[in-house]
Amino acid sequence: MAGSPLFFALGAYPHTRLRRNRRDPWSRRLVAETRLAVDDLIWPVFVQEGRKTHTPVRSMPGVERLSVDLLVKAAGEAVGLGIPAIAIFPAIDPKRKTPEGEESVNPDNLICRAVRAVKKAQPGLGIICDVALDPYTSHGHDGLLRGGEIVNDETVAVLCRQAVVQAEAGCDVIAPSDMMDGRVGAIRRALDEAGHQNIRILAYAAKYASAFYGPFRDAVGSAANLGAGDKRSYQMDPANGDEALREVAFDIAEGADMVMIKPGLPYLDIIRRVKETFAVPTFAYQVSGEYSMLKAAAAASWLDGDKAMMECLLAFKRAGADGILTYAAPQAAKLLGSRT
Ligand code: PBG
């Protein structure tokens, strides 16, 4: 726009003064181009074994792993705040982690029990479950390890079983976060064959090999297992943008109902390109490291925590995201609710 003949025809200072519209709250409200609403929020939560137990996640201030009974209470809180959906992540007992991650397809595993309990208590709350093996594998990778390599097709076969098991437990949205090739199409077929045509797929379509996942790996206890390992043979190179469009194109063609870009703030350009190219429901994940940076700076009084958080969330909307996964969903919902 700027630089085009039309732009110059619009008039310039002193006739035009852009500050006029910024003068008063009422006119700022009228001309605001982007809005953040509670309807845009997905709240990622962590579940652990036990009863009435909650364990703070050391690297995520204000975030706790909850036993299923307390998770049900948190789900009630989400409904009370108007948050449409939660994404549940399990912290699996280390004794149940194996090289092949068999616990991932156990219909009575922690995530399935959590989903059943939340669905029963809050049937109107959307439940999203990751499909990936990292909470379950002793090596902390999202897939099966064969001779030092994460094998694609064999992993996809297990992911399909994991998706069906989670759908059967009552999960509404299956979110493959593993970044294997071809998994969205395979999972769609597996769900359909099992009679779950209405279960949605939210594809972690453009998921980057990011340093910002560190606190999450603490939360689900996969950091120690992964050790010095990294996920660069399956997650995307932060240098690449065109490749994200190819990932998204494949996932849509394979049947994804919604796509996600992850992490969020360092990848706003990708959100914008994906939304403009495909015009499909597009979500951003403000990941653990983004959340923790803001919380740490706020705790040190270096930033106004509420304002900085709301500014980041609004930036996702301005970039083109339809919604945002954020650990700050309750905080944001409360702030939105108290606005005049
Ligand atoms: C698991 C998964 C990860 C996240 C979501 N699902 C971690 C990873 O890929 O290592 C990260 C979320 C966050 O950092 O908040 N595949």
Side-chain angles (χ1 to χ4, degrees):
M1 175 67 179
S4 77
L6 176 66
F7 183 80
F8 292 107
L10 288 176
Y13 173 85
H15 308 294
T16 300
R17 291 174 185 267
L18 293 180
R19 288 183 57 194
R20 285 186 202 117
N21 282 339
R22 294 181 200 142
R23 259 188 67 128
D24 298 296
W26 64 262
S27 61
R28 285 198 295 270
R29 278 162 57 208
L30 279 174
V31 302
E33 297 171 37
T34 310
R35 262 172 252 278
L36 176 71
V38 178
D39 294 341
D40 302 324
L41 302 174
I42 296 170
W43 184 22
V45 291
F46 299 106
V47 64
Q48 66 180 11
E49 294 289 356
R51 265 182 48 98
K52 291 194 168 41
T53 60
H54 52 108
T55 311
V57 179
R58 190 186 49 82
S59 52
M60 297 181 74
V63 173
E64 298 191 307
R65 292 192 295 252
L66 305 173
S67 54
V68 173
D69 51 332
L70 298 185
L71 177 69
V72 167
K73 276 182 136 177
E77 194 193 324
V79 170
L81 288 167
I83 295 170
I86 61 173
I88 311 177
F89 295 95
I92 299 298
D93 180 347
K95 290 195 290 290
R96 291 188 184 272
K97 298 191 184 195
T98 55
E100 301 288 291
E102 284 95 343
E103 181 67 5
S104 63
V105 297
N106 170 5
D108 240 350
N109 65 16
L110 176 59
I111 188 77
C112 291
R113 281 182 275 122
V115 168
R116 279 195 290 270
V118 170
K119 202 70 214 170
K120 191 165 167 222
Q122 299 295 347
L125 179 67
I127 302 181
I128 302 169
C129 287
D130 258 35
V131 164
L133 300 184
D134 56 321
Y136 305 96
T137 49
S138 45
H139 44 72
H141 276 291
D142 292 23
L144 300 173
L145 197 52
R146 301 272 181 268
E149 195 179 324
I150 302 300
V151 289
N152 195 88
D153 300 7
E154 234 184 298
T155 297
V156 170
V158 182
L159 299 177
C160 287
R161 290 168 58 203
Q162 184 186 18
V164 170
V165 160
Q166 292 179 163
E168 244 124 62
C171 161
D172 301 291
V173 183
I174 292 292
S177 70
D178 54 286
M179 289 300 280
M180 298 300 119
D181 286 323
R183 90 280 206 212
V184 170
I187 289 170
R188 182 71 271 163
R189 277 190 299 279
L191 288 171
D192 289 355
E193 275 162 24
H196 298 296
Q197 289 85 355
N198 293 329
I199 300 295
R200 303 156 185 87
I201 295 180
L202 165 59
Y204 284 73
K207 177 172 178 181
Y208 287 88
S210 173
F212 290 97
Y213 307 150
F216 174 96
R217 293 177 190 169
D218 274 347
V220 300
S222 68
N225 304 66
L226 192 61
D230 67 61
K231 302 189 176 183
R232 285 183 291 184
S233 80
Y234 44 105
Q235 298 180 347
M236 281 184 58
D237 183 342
N240 295 355
D242 292 346
E243 191 187 338
L245 300 184
R246 298 181 73 196
E247 283 285 3
V248 171
F250 282 135
D251 287 358
I252 296 168
E254 291 174 29
D257 301 283
M258 314 170 239
V259 297
M260 188 203 296
I261 286 90
K262 176 184 173 196
L265 212 61
Y267 298 88
L268 291 182
D269 57 323
I270 309 297
I271 297 170
R272 161 61 58 189
R273 290 179 70 185
V274 165
K275 188 65 187 179
E276 281 186 347
T277 307
F278 299 103
V280 297
T282 302
F283 290 79
Y285 199 143
Q286 183 192 47
V287 299
S288 56
E290 299 176 63
Y291 169 88
S292 296
M293 283 197 303
L294 288 173
K295 290 292 167 188
S301 304
W302 295 337
L303 286 178
D304 178 323
D306 284 342
K307 284 193 179 139
M309 181 62 74
M310 297 310 266
E311 185 177 330
C312 287
L313 298 179
L314 187 65
F316 291 119
K317 293 293 307 278
R318 194 193 61 242
D322 296 290
I324 307 142
L325 291 93
T326 172
Y327 301 96
Q331 175 192 357
K334 283 175 202 156
L335 289 167
L336 289 166
S338 65
R339 275 206 188 149
T340 47

